[in-house]
């Protein structure tokens, strides 16, 4: 049985379950002694879930070597990782996992390549949680794609639409600007 | 009396503020999951409606005339 542990998808694409602002070797918040790390093979970035690194800047394409573990055989386990969206929208699920296993760790590699329209320089929060028979843990990591706002065509589209609605709103409120009768 | 200008202003301002919020996200001023992204369109809705009311009062001649009785 393939056992996918801590956020496979998370670590795989660089979204490691991140612990709180805590000293090295501290655990990810929770009762399960979760640990995870990821290494960007081309970029050289190394992220340990136990260390708060602020906002991680990652390249738009790379291969991540990831690993995750818990302290004791988990038994039945489940978890999910998701992209936080503005309230009241629900998070956008990136990956989830579940099953029954006695393995305490897993590792692998994941290659990703974001399309060019994904905006760079935008801070995203990715949250993850893992539960098994010994407890659970959860964490958050903030990241952004390397680059500037004008690297993505989405920025030009958003600016153009903003200008369009500014003009339309101005026309609708024209009496305020030209004076009434 | 119609409220067409008020409704139109409110809707347009809501979208204007929504895309201003999107611009703020895209330029890295606020994170994607910021509550500002949610609040700004609502602010736009209210501000647009208020400005629409003011515009309507400022220019009553532009509003459609109310139907008058055929025989006065």
């Amino acid at each position: 049985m393939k056992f996918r542990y801590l956020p496979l998808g998370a670590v795989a694409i660089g979204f490691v379950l991140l612990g709180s602002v805590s000293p090295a070797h501290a655990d990810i918040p929770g009762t399960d002694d979760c640990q995870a790390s990821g290494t960007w093979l081309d970029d050289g970035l190394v992220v340990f879930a136990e260390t708060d690194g602020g906002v991680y800047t990652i390249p738009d394409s790379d291969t991540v070597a990831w690993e995750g573990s818990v302290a004791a055989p988990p038994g039945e386990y489940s978890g999910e990782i998701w992209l936080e969206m503005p309230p009241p929208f629900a998070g956008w699920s990136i990956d989830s996992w579940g099953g029954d296993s006695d393995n305490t760790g897993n590792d692998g590699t994941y290659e990703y390549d974001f399309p060019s329209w994904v905006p760079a320089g935008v801070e995203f929060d990715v949250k993850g949680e893992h539960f098994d028979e010994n407890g659970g843990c959860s964490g958050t990591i903030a990241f952004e794609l390397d680059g500037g706002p004008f690297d993505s065509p989405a920025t030009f589209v958003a600016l153009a639409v903003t200008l369009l609605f500014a003009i339309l709103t101005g026309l609708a409120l024209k009496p305020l600007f030209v004076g009434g009768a | 009396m119609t409220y067409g200008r008020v409704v139109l202003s409110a809707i347009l301002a809501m979208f204007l503020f929504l895309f201003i919020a999107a611009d703020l996200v895209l330029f890295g001023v606020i994170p994607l999951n910021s509550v500002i992204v949610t609040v700004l369109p609502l602010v736009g809705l209210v501000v647009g409606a208020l400005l629409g009311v003011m515009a309507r009062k400022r220019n009553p001649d532009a509003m459609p005339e109310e139907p008058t009785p055929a025989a006065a």
Side-chain angles (χ1 to χ4, degrees):
Chain A
M1 169 180 15
K2 184 178 180 181
F3 176 55
R4 297 200 307 175
Y5 239 152
L6 285 178
L8 178 149
V11 183
I13 50 180
F15 314 147
V16 187
L17 270 183
L18 183 69
S20 61
V21 182
S22 53
H25 309 300
D27 297 329
I28 301 170
T31 58
D32 210 13
D33 194 19
C34 303
Q35 296 189 14
S37 66
T39 302
W40 277 252
L41 299 181
D42 294 336
D43 186 65
L45 173 67
V46 180
V47 175
F48 292 97
E50 300 92 332
T51 307
D52 177 31
V55 181
Y56 290 97
T57 301
I58 61 174
D60 58 0
S61 64
D62 206 332
T63 300
V64 182
W66 57 268
E67 59 182 2
S69 66
V70 291
E76 290 188 13
Y77 64 92
S78 65
E80 186 178 13
I81 186 162
W82 65 92
L83 177 66
E84 282 280 284
M85 301 299 286
F89 300 105
W92 181 26
S93 181
I94 296 172
D95 194 15
S96 62
W97 56 93
D100 191 342
S101 174
D102 291 331
N103 294 336
T104 58
N106 199 7
D107 60 73
T109 60
Y110 186 89
E111 183 177 357
Y112 71 89
D113 186 4
F114 288 110
S116 61
W117 56 262
V118 175
V122 176
E123 184 180 329
F124 300 89
D125 276 354
V126 174
K127 293 194 174 183
E129 61 184 16
H130 170 88
F131 298 101
D132 59 37
E133 294 179 357
N134 303 310
C137 52
S138 62
T140 304
I141 185 171
F143 75 96
E144 64 182 25
L145 290 184
D146 191 18
F150 293 110
D151 291 341
S152 167
T155 303
F156 296 100
V157 173
L159 286 174
V161 176
T162 304
L163 180 62
L164 173 65
F165 275 108
I167 292 172
L168 292 176
T169 306
L171 289 175
L173 299 172
K174 189 177 178 182
L176 285 179
F177 308 120
V178 296
Chain B
M1 182 187 308
T2 65
Y3 290 91
R5 184 184 297 277
V6 177
V7 173
L8 180 64
S9 301
I11 293 174
L12 289 174
M14 181 189 71
F15 280 105
L16 172 62
F17 278 55
L18 173 65
F19 279 94
I20 288 175
D23 294 336
L24 292 175
V25 170
L26 289 169
F27 279 90
V29 178
I30 56 176
L32 175 66
N33 63 336
S34 171
V35 72
I36 294 174
V37 178
T38 306
V39 170
L40 266 185
L42 299 178
V43 171
L45 193 68
V46 174
V47 170
L50 292 175
L51 292 177
V53 170
M54 292 171 61
R56 184 167 161 271
K57 288 179 178 175
R58 182 75 66 90
N59 191 15
D61 292 342
M63 292 186 294
E65 293 182 4
E66 294 183 21
T68 55

